[in-house]
Amino acid sequence: MTTLPLNTSATCAELESGQTSTPPCTLCCGGLVNRTLAVGFMVSLAFAIVVGNMVTLTVFLQTRQSRTPQGYLKVSLAVADMMVGVFVVPFSIYTEVSLMVANSPPSWYKRGSTSLGEWLRSWQPCMLIGPMFALCTFVSITTIFLMTVERSVAILWPLRKDTLVTRRRTLLLVVLSWTSSVLLALAPLILSSSFTLEYDECSRMCIYTPLNPQLSANSHVLLLFPAFDFTLLSGTLAVNIVSFTSIRRYTKRRELLSETSPNGGGCCKRPTLSDIKVAKTICILTLTFTASFTPIAVFVLGNVVGYTWCNFSFIAFWILACNSCCNVIIYSVRDQRFRKGVTLLFQREHSPPKGEKI
């Protein structure tokens, strides 16, 4: 999942031959050994993303207790992560292996088309893979924001959460999330005719690049990507602060009442321990995504003002791609219900219980 910066870097052939003043790119232009190590890393990452999110989807779809508004949001997040492992990373693997075996780029390698007629006459896979990666990023951050709001409602208004947060409303928000993310991922192509998509040899991803060799005057359009993500991340952190402030007030009130009341200070309208733990888990998801996205945001800003960071582009893009397999790890550590669902899932596969429902 990612935003797509400008491709202003030179090709590896130019870098290796000294035909450009661009700083040397050791990660992308290191010969057969580095390419082989990169492909091995990509294969391992794709496997981890697909297997981890397949388990996540299976648990949430087959466990009745997970068929809640929060469960629907987690399924949406897992689907976005799965798309990275099924489409985006394998395409990079295919391209890198093609370059290693054939020692020459595929026919579609340069350059992407911008008009619909050119796109139909000359298929450019990056026109699909690039926006798909951006789409997955936007869906992920939007879903994390919605999960945070859902938990905040459960903590601040526990008696009204079932009325305010319904399955129907959640499904509608999921659809709106995916629709708006598609439009935002295609924004540079919709708002400007100065961009196309190409496979970048430094980041080894399909990214937006200007049609002219010089930096496009409309490069500020790409700032929509980090602006959107950081706006939602800031909103998510703000909602988390409100939720945890409420939890802290409730905890202090409970301690005060326990000192003055022989019954332990029972209090109505209090958040459950489960709601509090889930809120902490979502906060961890938010911080993890923020840490994964920040390098890409720095890279986009650097490219817009004219800097070229080849090595850093590879690191930034693939750190964000690694985030697609982090959520299942966080669920496994923090979510007891998820761990129980995984256990029951594998128990069912080995020895199916008779008449048992989960």
Side-chain angles (χ1 to χ4, degrees), residues 86-107:
V86 172
F87 297 105
V88 179
V89 179
F91 178 75
S92 294
I93 296 172
Y94 164 74
T95 305
E96 290 298 314
V97 171
S98 298
L99 292 172
M100 292 168 59
V101 173
N103 201 26
S104 62
S107 59

Short mmCIF file of all heavy atoms in Angstrom, two decimals, residues 86-107:
data_model
loop_
_atom_site.label_atom_id
_atom_site.label_comp_id
_atom_site.label_asym_id
_atom_site.label_seq_id
_atom_site.Cartn_x
_atom_site.Cartn_y
_atom_site.Cartn_z
N VAL A 86 -1.17 -10.02 -3.27
CA VAL A 86 -1.61 -10.81 -4.43
C VAL A 86 -1.25 -10.13 -5.74
O VAL A 86 -0.92 -10.80 -6.73
CB VAL A 86 -3.13 -11.06 -4.35
CG1 VAL A 86 -3.66 -11.70 -5.63
CG2 VAL A 86 -3.46 -11.95 -3.15
N PHE A 87 -1.29 -8.79 -5.79
CA PHE A 87 -1.09 -8.08 -7.05
C PHE A 87 0.20 -7.24 -7.07
O PHE A 87 1.00 -7.36 -7.99
CB PHE A 87 -2.29 -7.17 -7.34
CG PHE A 87 -3.58 -7.91 -7.53
CD1 PHE A 87 -4.56 -7.90 -6.53
CD2 PHE A 87 -3.83 -8.61 -8.70
CE1 PHE A 87 -5.75 -8.59 -6.70
CE2 PHE A 87 -5.03 -9.29 -8.87
CZ PHE A 87 -5.98 -9.30 -7.87
N VAL A 88 0.37 -6.38 -6.08
CA VAL A 88 1.44 -5.38 -6.14
C VAL A 88 2.82 -6.01 -6.02
O VAL A 88 3.68 -5.83 -6.88
CB VAL A 88 1.23 -4.31 -5.05
CG1 VAL A 88 2.36 -3.29 -5.10
CG2 VAL A 88 -0.12 -3.62 -5.23
N VAL A 89 3.05 -6.76 -4.93
CA VAL A 89 4.37 -7.36 -4.73
C VAL A 89 4.69 -8.40 -5.80
O VAL A 89 5.81 -8.40 -6.34
CB VAL A 89 4.47 -7.97 -3.31
CG1 VAL A 89 5.83 -8.63 -3.11
CG2 VAL A 89 4.24 -6.90 -2.25
N PRO A 90 3.77 -9.31 -6.18
CA PRO A 90 4.09 -10.26 -7.26
C PRO A 90 4.44 -9.57 -8.58
O PRO A 90 5.27 -10.09 -9.34
CB PRO A 90 2.81 -11.09 -7.39
CG PRO A 90 2.22 -11.06 -6.03
CD PRO A 90 2.50 -9.67 -5.52
N PHE A 91 3.83 -8.42 -8.88
CA PHE A 91 4.19 -7.72 -10.12
C PHE A 91 5.65 -7.25 -10.07
O PHE A 91 6.37 -7.33 -11.07
CB PHE A 91 3.27 -6.53 -10.35
CG PHE A 91 3.61 -5.74 -11.58
CD1 PHE A 91 3.30 -6.23 -12.84
CD2 PHE A 91 4.26 -4.51 -11.48
CE1 PHE A 91 3.62 -5.52 -13.99
CE2 PHE A 91 4.60 -3.79 -12.62
CZ PHE A 91 4.27 -4.30 -13.87
N SER A 92 6.09 -6.75 -8.92
CA SER A 92 7.49 -6.36 -8.78
C SER A 92 8.40 -7.57 -8.91
O SER A 92 9.48 -7.48 -9.52
CB SER A 92 7.72 -5.67 -7.43
OG SER A 92 7.02 -4.44 -7.35
N ILE A 93 7.97 -8.71 -8.35
CA ILE A 93 8.76 -9.94 -8.49
C ILE A 93 8.87 -10.34 -9.95
O ILE A 93 9.97 -10.66 -10.45
CB ILE A 93 8.12 -11.08 -7.67
CG1 ILE A 93 8.15 -10.75 -6.18
CG2 ILE A 93 8.83 -12.41 -7.94
CD1 ILE A 93 7.37 -11.73 -5.32
N TYR A 94 7.76 -10.31 -10.66
CA TYR A 94 7.75 -10.68 -12.08
C TYR A 94 8.67 -9.77 -12.89
O TYR A 94 9.45 -10.24 -13.73
CB TYR A 94 6.32 -10.60 -12.62
CG TYR A 94 6.24 -10.57 -14.13
CD1 TYR A 94 6.46 -11.72 -14.89
CD2 TYR A 94 5.95 -9.38 -14.81
CE1 TYR A 94 6.40 -11.68 -16.28
CE2 TYR A 94 5.88 -9.33 -16.19
CZ TYR A 94 6.11 -10.48 -16.92
OH TYR A 94 6.06 -10.45 -18.28
N THR A 95 8.60 -8.46 -12.64
CA THR A 95 9.43 -7.53 -13.39
C THR A 95 10.91 -7.73 -13.10
O THR A 95 11.74 -7.74 -14.02
CB THR A 95 9.02 -6.08 -13.07
OG1 THR A 95 7.62 -5.92 -13.31
CG2 THR A 95 9.79 -5.10 -13.92
N GLU A 96 11.25 -7.91 -11.82
CA GLU A 96 12.65 -8.10 -11.47
C GLU A 96 13.21 -9.39 -12.06
O GLU A 96 14.34 -9.42 -12.57
CB GLU A 96 12.80 -8.10 -9.95
CG GLU A 96 12.57 -6.76 -9.30
CD GLU A 96 13.58 -5.71 -9.74
OE1 GLU A 96 14.79 -6.02 -9.77
OE2 GLU A 96 13.17 -4.60 -10.09
N VAL A 97 12.42 -10.46 -12.01
CA VAL A 97 12.88 -11.73 -12.59
C VAL A 97 13.03 -11.60 -14.10
O VAL A 97 13.99 -12.13 -14.70
CB VAL A 97 11.90 -12.87 -12.23
CG1 VAL A 97 12.24 -14.14 -12.99
CG2 VAL A 97 11.93 -13.13 -10.73
N SER A 98 12.12 -10.88 -14.75
CA SER A 98 12.22 -10.66 -16.20
C SER A 98 13.50 -9.92 -16.56
O SER A 98 14.19 -10.26 -17.53
CB SER A 98 11.01 -9.89 -16.71
OG SER A 98 9.81 -10.60 -16.49
N LEU A 99 13.81 -8.91 -15.76
CA LEU A 99 15.03 -8.15 -16.01
C LEU A 99 16.28 -9.00 -15.79
O LEU A 99 17.29 -8.85 -16.51
CB LEU A 99 15.08 -6.92 -15.11
CG LEU A 99 14.04 -5.82 -15.40
CD1 LEU A 99 14.06 -4.76 -14.31
CD2 LEU A 99 14.30 -5.18 -16.75
N MET A 100 16.23 -9.90 -14.81
CA MET A 100 17.38 -10.76 -14.53
C MET A 100 17.56 -11.83 -15.61
O MET A 100 18.69 -12.11 -16.04
CB MET A 100 17.21 -11.42 -13.16
CG MET A 100 17.29 -10.48 -11.98
SD MET A 100 16.75 -11.26 -10.43
CE MET A 100 17.89 -12.64 -10.34
N VAL A 101 16.46 -12.42 -16.06
CA VAL A 101 16.55 -13.54 -17.01
C VAL A 101 16.79 -13.04 -18.43
O VAL A 101 17.71 -13.50 -19.12
CB VAL A 101 15.26 -14.39 -16.96
CG1 VAL A 101 15.27 -15.44 -18.05
CG2 VAL A 101 15.12 -15.04 -15.58
N ALA A 102 15.98 -12.08 -18.88
CA ALA A 102 16.09 -11.60 -20.26
C ALA A 102 17.17 -10.55 -20.44
O ALA A 102 17.57 -10.26 -21.56
CB ALA A 102 14.74 -11.05 -20.72
N ASN A 103 17.60 -9.95 -19.34
CA ASN A 103 18.62 -8.90 -19.38
C ASN A 103 18.18 -7.70 -20.22
O ASN A 103 19.01 -6.95 -20.74
CB ASN A 103 19.95 -9.45 -19.90
CG ASN A 103 21.12 -8.56 -19.48
OD1 ASN A 103 21.04 -7.87 -18.46
ND2 ASN A 103 22.19 -8.58 -20.26
N SER A 104 16.87 -7.57 -20.39
CA SER A 104 16.32 -6.43 -21.12
C SER A 104 14.91 -6.19 -20.61
O SER A 104 14.22 -7.14 -20.22
CB SER A 104 16.29 -6.69 -22.63
OG SER A 104 15.46 -7.79 -22.93
N PRO A 105 14.47 -4.93 -20.57
CA PRO A 105 13.14 -4.64 -20.04
C PRO A 105 12.03 -5.14 -20.95
O PRO A 105 12.22 -5.24 -22.16
CB PRO A 105 13.13 -3.11 -19.95
CG PRO A 105 14.12 -2.66 -20.96
CD PRO A 105 15.18 -3.71 -21.00
N PRO A 106 10.85 -5.46 -20.39
CA PRO A 106 9.70 -5.85 -21.21
C PRO A 106 9.26 -4.71 -22.13
O PRO A 106 9.66 -3.56 -21.95
CB PRO A 106 8.62 -6.18 -20.17
CG PRO A 106 9.35 -6.40 -18.89
CD PRO A 106 10.56 -5.53 -18.95
N SER A 107 8.44 -5.02 -23.10
CA SER A 107 8.01 -4.02 -24.09
C SER A 107 7.21 -2.90 -23.45
O SER A 107 7.21 -1.77 -23.95
CB SER A 107 7.17 -4.71 -25.17
OG SER A 107 6.04 -5.35 -24.60
#
